[in-house]
Amino acid sequence: MSRSRPYSLAPRPNILLSERMHFPEPARRPPWLYRWGKAGPCGPLFPRMLEKWIRGRLGSCDLERSEFRNPPGLGVSDEGSRPGVNCTGSALLEGLTKESEIQGRVLFLTVCAAGIGGTFQFGYNLSIINAPTLHIQEFTNETWWARTGWPLPDHLVLLVWSLIVSLYPLGGLFGALLAGPFAIKLGRKKSLLVNNVFVVAAAILFGFSRRAGSFEMVMLGRLLVGISAGVSMNIQPMYLGESAPKELRGAVAMTSAIFTALGIVMGQVVGLRELLGGPQAWPLLLASCLVPGVLQLASLPLLPESPRYLLIDRGDSAICLAALQRLRGTTEVMVELAELEEERAACQGQRARRPWELFQDGTLRRQVISLVVLGSAMELCGNDSIYAYASSVFREAGVPQEKVQYAIVGTGCCELLTAFISCMVIDRVGRRVLLMGGYCLMTCWGSVFTVALCLQSSFPWMPYLAMCCIFAFILSFGIGPAGVTGILATELFDQKARPAAYMVCGAIMWTTLFLVGLGFPFLMEGLSHFVYVPFLGVCVCGALYTGFFLPETKGKTFLEISEELHRLNYPRQNQGPTWKGPEVIRSTEL
């Protein structure tokens, strides 16, 4: 290259194109390189200026005479580069702009594949059981009549139905306890795939229960889908949180709440009388959980495993690098790989924690307390119980009985809408703001709802106010607690303690869900219109704890979060050194 023309890019054989664009002296770089601003090299200014500069400097180059390779960083390895192809400056520009399109495509597919068979199943199976309530009770009575020759008493029919409903959270508790060993031994992705065995078995039991004349098959099927939901609700956010970059970790982990809300809405829609909510179609309605499971089995094997699991738990650097490159859509992942190596070094020599060890370790004190308090608050805040009031409130507001089911679908759509909004803003406003805002709004609307229930017979417009409060309460829940709470176990615990943390979180969630379902009818009978006062107290406690004790984790690596939590758990160790010598005399005599 001539010294008089330091930027001369005359064709030379056997040289990488990236070497042709190298600037040997930073001071001689074109002035437009300093006008990238905050947009960075992927901003709107860069492609136009790059095209102008490349066309002026390179023109077109015939690679049939010179052996060039694709520039690094475009998602093409050295093995995939091919000489002998005509290349122009505009072709290089197209390659650079396509990099941003490839970026995140595999991550998006991973989110969808994990979610459709993960938390989507939880929301779907939680909501579809409401539509065939009367049909399953009639089937139970008819089955008992065919076996014994006399009908089953009403209180025993209600008992069987209560068992069918309660076995779902009980199975979820068992699934949460299985999630930790699954995640450690099988890995995150393989655990989600194996989990579909429970779904397939449950769908077979549901589908043939009416033909076999066995309501016990329905009970066993509900237990199995509960186990599947318990496993997937713990492993899906763990898998996605470990696979996402730190800039998108909150948004990616929030997709668990999106798929939960989407499952609730889809269950409400499929359960309409016009679809599968009829008296003859309820076995197909319950067995329809097979469809999301099959979709996950067909798509998830094509996607990579969690890079953190591959490197820290399995110690396989080569497969970790390949998975990281696929998830990011680029080969330039060395900075992130170095962060993973630092995290691996911090976990070196440690084994996977057991759930009871989390309560014995002083370094995890604040993390465990936060997990227990906020995990319990999410289930005890009253969002699930407000659906019990929805039908009666809608009827009081003048909604016809045959139209109430469509209004209930609207409540599920509200939670889905706020889950989308939270997913878009969580990495901008942070976790603490969403949690505090959600609980404060829930306290406000819950108080108004209590007043509206007390005065609904005094003013004709009070039922309409109560109906608005139901929608507002569900919207407030979707803003923060619905999604942010599920991220805590991912961000507050390191790689070795994370599976055990999800076991603790899942056990708390499913236990409180079971207790709320069991005790809410007694609360309604004892407190009447003031039934939401205990839930409002939980919302206040959740907001106060978040504001005073929960650290912000937005935009931080897992190692940075661990260091900050260590400082909070041991504040005295972070103080400066103290003087341990003799007392210093501050005054002297002349």
Side-chain angles (χ1 to χ4, degrees), residues 113 115-118 120-121 124-125 128 196 199-200 202-204 266 270 276 284-299:
I116 195 64
F120 179 89
Q121 287 276 31
Y124 187 75
N125 289 290
I128 61 172
N196 286 288
V199 176
V200 174
I204 294 174
M266 289 299 298
V270 175
L276 295 179
L284 293 178
L285 175 63
L286 297 181
S288 60
C289 63
L290 180 64
V291 176
V294 171
L295 290 176
Q296 186 178 69
L297 287 173
S299 58

Side-chain angles (χ1 to χ4, degrees), residues 79 141 155 172 225 318 327 358 514 521 554 569:
E79 291 79 10
N141 198 14
H155 68 281
V225 293
L327 287 168
L358 302 183
F514 176 78
K554 178 186 68 173
N569 285 323

Side-chain angles (χ1 to χ4, degrees), residues 420-440:
F420 269 112
I421 295 174
S422 298
C423 181
M424 292 186 290
V425 303
I426 185 172
D427 286 312
R428 297 183 181 181
V429 302
R431 285 67 161 154
R432 297 175 72 251
V433 173
L434 291 180
L435 270 179
M436 287 190 296
Y439 280 124
C440 290

